[in-house]
Amino acid sequence: MFDFKEVTTWFDLLLRNTLGLGDGMSVLIECVIVALLILLGYAVLAIILIFMERKVCAYFQCRLGPMRVGPWGILQVLADVIKMLIKEIFPVDKADKLLYYMAPFLVLVGSVGAFAFLPWNKGASILDFNVGVFLMSAISSIGVVGVFVAGWSSNNKFSVISAMRGAVQMISYEMSLGLCLITAVVLTGTMQLSGIVESQADGWLIFKGHVPALIAFFVFLIAGNAEANRGPFDLAEAESELTAGYHTEYSGMGFGFFYLAEYLNLFIVAGTAATVFLGGWMPLHINGLDGFNQVMDYIPGIVWFLAKAFMLIWLLLWIKWTFPRLRIDQILKLEWKYLMPLSLLNLVLMTIMVAFGWHF
């Protein structure tokens, strides 16, 4: 398996030794390049996911989706991006100006921060701390503040209701998300995301952890879908009730930031689930089939990671366009009466399994 640390080490030595740059300048250049790569990956994935959802939605509704701009409509999203960039931003009377303009950036910061923790390949982790699971959960929670601030500062009754719904829903489902991640941490013995992936070299977590790992995986997908405000949990953006929800009063790139963050949060949920439960960039290995395992090792780790993530994204899109939107009381009942007690019990079961060594 190719290790990206070879590339990063070579580039660092190039800046410091070959070009003769000092430590400060080398670190500055590296940070700028990493930031540009994060933003580029963020934008490209957003475009792919928007086009993917439109086509998947059309498939489930027996339509073709966008077809006119470019072959098979692949340039439609680029046309929408250009339209968004040149669209006028309308000021809102009686809005809290500071909070109103700050909210889209809070949502984007939380999304980009969590995005930077995803390990794409061996040695290709942008942020890789020994408490990575904890930090990723904490940074992603900034988006909850952005959603609430956006609705509250708009001075619109529909936006305020939407903000209250969104904040309650997202804070509630963070409980189950955290418990599912702790279950994985108990089994692997580390909170470092790269360490969690490497601990699955001899088998993905859903296979090593028996039933508790499977339960944690499915609960994580459900809770992550709700955390990302995706259907059938999109009560904060219920168009039939609240026009556009917490971003009703936003136009231009103010609305565009919310739009980008929603789709990247979908990728973050799928990418985190793939990293923690499906081995991340680790290939599929089957004990006893050495030839098969050797062939699997030739596939680059980034291909494995993206394949797993997009497989889960397809599953989440399937759920969105299959089930009707739930009521807010049903959403909260599902979390507090079913998912969180199940996650707590599952955590206890996983702890007992690890204590007695009943896992692979």
Side-chain angles (χ1 to χ4, degrees):
M1 181 70 68
F2 178 74
D3 192 344
F4 263 88
K5 285 185 179 178
E6 298 178 10
V7 176
T8 56
T9 302
W10 168 82
F11 186 73
D12 184 65
L13 293 176
L14 176 67
L15 294 177
R16 296 174 188 269
N17 299 336
T18 307
L19 299 181
L21 300 177
D23 292 344
M25 183 59 66
S26 299
V27 171
L28 177 62
I29 293 174
E30 291 168 1
C31 289
V32 170
I33 292 174
V34 168
L36 291 175
L37 288 175
I38 292 175
L39 294 177
L40 178 63
Y42 194 92
V44 171
L45 278 172
I47 291 173
I48 293 173
L49 289 173
I50 292 171
F51 180 76
M52 180 178 174
E53 174 159 51
R54 288 176 174 177
K55 287 296 186 180
V56 171
C57 167
Y59 173 78
F60 279 106
Q61 296 176 354
C62 298
R63 298 186 291 108
L64 295 177
M67 291 292 290
R68 297 191 179 187
V69 185
W72 301 288
I74 59 176
L75 299 180
Q76 180 64 57
V77 180
L78 293 177
D80 292 340
V81 170
I82 295 172
K83 177 185 176 183
M84 192 78 69
L85 289 171
I86 64 176
K87 202 171 184 65
E88 181 181 358
I89 298 177
F90 293 97
V92 179
D93 293 337
K94 300 181 181 179
D96 188 319
K97 300 297 183 183
L98 176 62
L99 297 179
Y100 176 81
Y101 290 113
M102 185 174 66
F105 292 98
L106 287 176
V107 173
L108 204 65
V109 165
S111 181
V112 172
F115 180 71
F117 277 91
L118 295 176
W120 295 72
N121 200 356
K122 186 176 183 180
S125 302
I126 297 171
L127 298 177
D128 190 26
F129 298 102
N130 59 350
V131 288
V133 170
F134 173 77
L135 281 177
M136 185 180 186
S137 302
I139 292 175
S140 64
S141 299
I142 297 175
V144 181
V145 180
V147 168
F148 186 78
V149 167
W152 182 264
S153 63
S154 295
N155 197 26
N156 179 308
K157 60 183 180 181
F158 298 112
S159 298
V160 172
I161 295 172
S162 171
M164 294 170 64
R165 283 184 179 182
V168 169
Q169 175 182 320
M170 295 166 78
I171 291 172
S172 298
Y173 278 88
E174 280 180 358
M175 303 291 291
S176 292
L177 281 175
L179 289 171
C180 293
L181 292 176
I182 293 173
T183 302
V185 169
V186 169
L187 180 58
T188 57
T190 178
M191 283 199 291
Q192 190 169 5
L193 288 169
S194 62
I196 292 175
V197 174
E198 290 167 2
S199 69
Q200 302 177 68
D202 56 344
W204 298 351
L205 214 66
I206 57 172
F207 302 129
K208 294 175 62 176
H210 296 298
V211 175
L214 279 174
I215 293 174
F217 173 64
F218 287 114
V219 171
F220 184 89
L221 286 181
I222 296 171
N225 209 17
E227 176 76 8
N229 277 323
R230 301 284 300 174
F233 303 97
D234 54 342
L235 258 293
E237 305 172 26
E239 297 87 354
S240 57
E241 305 171 28
L242 305 174
T243 56
Y246 55 87
H247 48 65
T248 298
E249 301 293 347
Y250 285 88
S251 58
M253 282 310 298
F255 169 76
F257 284 168
F258 288 110
Y259 200 60
L260 282 174
E262 178 182 337
Y263 281 97
L264 262 295
N265 287 338
L266 174 65
F267 182 82
I268 291 167
V269 169
T272 305
T275 298
V276 175
F277 298 101
L278 300 181
W281 41 262
M282 280 290 178
L284 175 64
H285 284 169
I286 300 176
N287 291 332
L289 299 180
D290 295 336
F292 174 82
N293 297 339
Q294 188 174 4
V295 172
M296 293 296 102
D297 287 338
Y298 286 123
I299 302 175
I302 189 171
V303 174
W304 278 108
F305 173 74
L306 289 175
K308 295 170 185 177
F310 275 97
M311 178 192 71
L312 295 178
I313 288 171
W314 166 265
L315 177 62
L316 295 176
L317 291 178
W318 188 358
I319 292 171
K320 175 178 179 179
W321 296 107
T322 301
F323 294 99
R325 181 182 292 132
L326 302 175
R327 297 196 313 264
I328 186 65
D329 62 309
Q330 294 172 330
I331 289 176
L332 297 180
K333 184 184 294 184
L334 174 65
E335 163 63 12
W336 292 103
K337 287 191 175 183
Y338 299 101
L339 293 186
M340 196 178 73
L342 178 61
S343 300
L344 283 170
L345 178 61
N346 195 50
L347 177 59
V348 174
L349 289 175
M350 180 63 79
T351 305
I352 294 173
M353 274 183 44
V354 172
F356 287 94
W358 292 342
H359 57 88
F360 293 116

